[in-house]
Amino acid sequence: MSMNEIDAQVLDTIDRWVEKEVKPIAKKFDQADEYPHELVEQMKELGLFGATIHPDYGGLGLSASTYSKVVARIARAWMAPVGIFNSHLIMAACVQRSGTEEQKRRFLPRFASGELRGGLALTEPNAGTDLQGIRTVARRDGADYLINGTKTWITNGVYGTHFAVLTKTDPEAQPRHKGMTMFIAEKGEGFRVGRKLKKLGYRSIDSAELVFDNHRIGVDRLVGGVEGHGFHHAVAGLELGRINVAARGLGLAQAALEDALRYAQERQTFGKPIAQHQAIQLKLADMATRVEASRLLIEQAARKYDSGERCDLEAGMAKLFASESAVSNSLEAMRVFGGYSYSVEFDVERYYRDSPLMCIGEGTNEMQRIIIAKQLIARNPA
């Protein structure tokens, strides 16, 4: 079976699962802010926790192109499940890309099966975009390290067990990034959940505060086995992460378009469907154009990523445009639905609440513009 046939089979399986299992429960779980335990078990069986992990370690080994399509298809129905396996896969990618061979054999097969699940613990109360400003410290204590600090807005924080935790092993290092180190930490003594965080959107995901209080961790959990490379481990996954966020934005933008298009043909004013009014047609045309442009930008970035080329420019463009498209399309869908858009009976209010997160996550869109501009200048010297 060719890779194209395998990819088509994967996407067909995802489509059927989304229709049967995801769509019917999205509204209920979102409104209750309830974690979808049963859906997570299904995601294990589908192999989603190993989607981008190499087959040598039990994963599906999907290309960035196929993975982005999987993400967009699920986000089109409900964005929350995507976050459960994406943050987990960024942690897995850190081990796969930078871990020792012993760490790969130890963790990746169990990450791929979903037996061990978790995510990435970077953000702190005082440090988000400026990762070098973190204050969580790991100090050597004999053969181990003691970690102290607090992480916040950590996806999978409540139900996850393992996290790639960014720390400072040398707080005085200059430049600051040279004193940063990544560990794979497991919940236990000295490592607990501070609290679950309530959110405007992106509900049903256990975003949490994680507290480290003299958490003892062995040197065998230090990613790559060498101090001082944590910052590079953290940022190395941003290109794929931004493609993922762009794919989520595409899914939301497309869902908003489809709902608006359907409603505009059902709802009548002044004796005809509102889809026949020019004011509505202009909205639908812009929404559809944003969807297709987002799709093409994501595919361009994914192709470059899969070919091994640097793609921070392309991934930044895709993330910027697709996330802003999600926000614009969700707002336009609200306007198409009129007063009904404020009813929880319709999904458009959820798109409206979920979409702004895509403009913040994986680097704010303001930061994306700076990255894009710097890359344009670097690639086109005068």
Side-chain angles (χ1 to χ4, degrees):
M1 187 179 291
S2 69
M3 287 305 298
N4 286 339
E5 290 173 323
I6 293 173
D7 288 352
Q9 192 176 71
V10 167
L11 294 174
D12 181 62
T13 299
I14 292 298
D15 284 339
R16 285 186 279 110
W17 175 67
V18 167
E19 286 297 322
K20 182 181 178 183
E21 305 291 348
V22 180
K23 278 187 177 180
I25 70 168
K27 187 183 283 93
K28 173 188 172 184
F29 277 77
D30 173 78
Q31 289 299 317
D33 194 12
E34 181 181 347
Y35 189 77
H37 291 283
E38 187 175 336
L39 208 63
V40 169
E41 293 304 311
Q42 295 169 8
M43 287 157 60
K44 288 182 184 178
E45 294 174 11
L46 288 168
L48 287 172
F49 290 105
T52 56
I53 295 175
H54 196 280
D56 287 351
Y57 300 103
L60 297 179
L62 298 182
S63 66
S65 180
T66 301
Y67 180 58
S68 67
K69 292 182 177 71
V70 167
V71 169
R73 279 164 157 81
I74 299 173
R76 185 172 158 193
W78 186 22
M79 194 177 72
V82 176
I84 295 174
F85 64 81
N86 179 63
S87 184
H88 167 88
L89 286 170
I90 295 176
M91 171 181 64
C94 180
V95 174
Q96 181 167 286
R97 184 176 52 247
S98 306
T100 64
E101 190 55 42
E102 189 277 333
Q103 288 169 342
K104 294 176 186 178
R105 291 195 304 269
R106 179 180 183 181
F107 291 114
L108 291 178
R110 299 170 76 191
F111 286 166
S113 68
E115 176 191 348
L116 302 181
R117 293 187 295 106
L120 198 63
L122 305 181
T123 303
E124 298 186 6
N126 63 298
T129 299
D130 179 17
L131 281 181
Q132 296 183 69
I134 65 167
R135 296 175 182 170
T136 296
V137 174
R139 298 192 184 281
R140 194 67 186 255
D141 185 56
D144 301 323
Y145 289 84
L146 291 177
I147 300 180
N148 285 279
T150 300
K151 299 291 182 178
T152 194
W153 295 114
I154 308 305
T155 300
N156 293 332
V158 176
Y159 295 106
T161 58
H162 289 68
F163 295 85
V165 181
L166 187 63
T167 71
K168 283 195 172 177
T169 43
D170 182 2
E172 306 304 319
Q174 291 296 330
R176 293 180 297 167
H177 68 80
K178 289 190 175 182
M180 304 175 76
T181 302
M182 188 84 80
F183 293 87
I184 300 298
E186 180 179 1
K187 283 180 182 172
E189 186 176 351
F191 174 11
R192 62 181 175 82
V193 177
R195 61 194 174 106
K196 178 184 175 182
L197 302 168
K198 285 190 170 292
K199 307 183 295 295
L200 166 72
Y202 199 39
R203 295 174 182 169
S204 298
I205 292 290
D206 50 329
S207 303
E209 178 183 85
L210 301 179
V211 179
F212 297 86
D213 183 8
N214 280 332
H215 175 61
R216 184 171 294 277
I217 191 167
V219 69
D220 60 321
R221 297 296 187 96
L222 193 164
V223 176
V226 179
E227 289 186 11
H229 298 286
F231 181 78
H232 295 296
H233 295 336
V235 300
L238 290 180
E239 289 180 349
L240 184 58
R242 284 167 183 162
I243 292 171
N244 170 278
V245 169
R248 295 193 212 185
L250 168 60
L252 283 167
Q254 185 165 0
L257 167 64
E258 290 171 351
D259 286 11
L261 184 59
R262 181 174 57 252
Y263 183 78
Q265 294 175 80
E266 296 169 352
R267 172 72 167 170
Q268 293 200 0
T269 62
F270 306 105
K272 59 183 178 181
I274 61 174
Q276 293 184 22
H277 296 301
Q278 277 193 348
I280 300 299
Q281 290 173 349
L282 296 177
K283 294 182 185 300
L284 296 175
D286 286 345
M287 292 169 76
T289 301
R290 291 188 197 105
V291 167
E292 293 309 314
S294 296
R295 194 189 315 280
L296 292 170
L297 283 168
I298 292 167
E299 185 58 33
Q300 171 184 256
R303 279 200 306 269
K304 292 202 74 170
Y305 183 90
D306 288 332
S307 69
E309 296 179 66
R310 183 173 182 176
C311 65
D312 46 356
L313 171 69
E314 292 78 9
M317 285 181 167
K319 191 268 185 186
L320 170 63
F321 191 86
S323 60
E324 295 291 350
S325 293
V327 171
S328 296
N329 277 19
S330 66
L331 179 57
E332 290 293 61
M334 293 278 284
R335 287 170 166 160
V336 170
F337 272 76
Y340 284 110
S341 66
Y342 264 64
S343 169
V344 296
E345 294 179 20
F346 295 95
D347 291 330
V348 292
E349 62 88 28
R350 170 159 51 87
Y351 308 151
Y352 182 69
R353 288 186 288 104
D354 282 352
S355 57
L357 176 65
M358 299 301 97
C359 297
I360 300 168
E362 293 295 335
T364 64
N365 280 358
E366 289 72 23
M367 182 61 71
Q368 301 312 308
R369 289 180 171 93
I370 294 171
I371 291 169
I372 291 166
K374 286 184 176 179
Q375 278 299 301
L376 283 173
I377 294 166
R379 295 187 191 187
N380 298 278

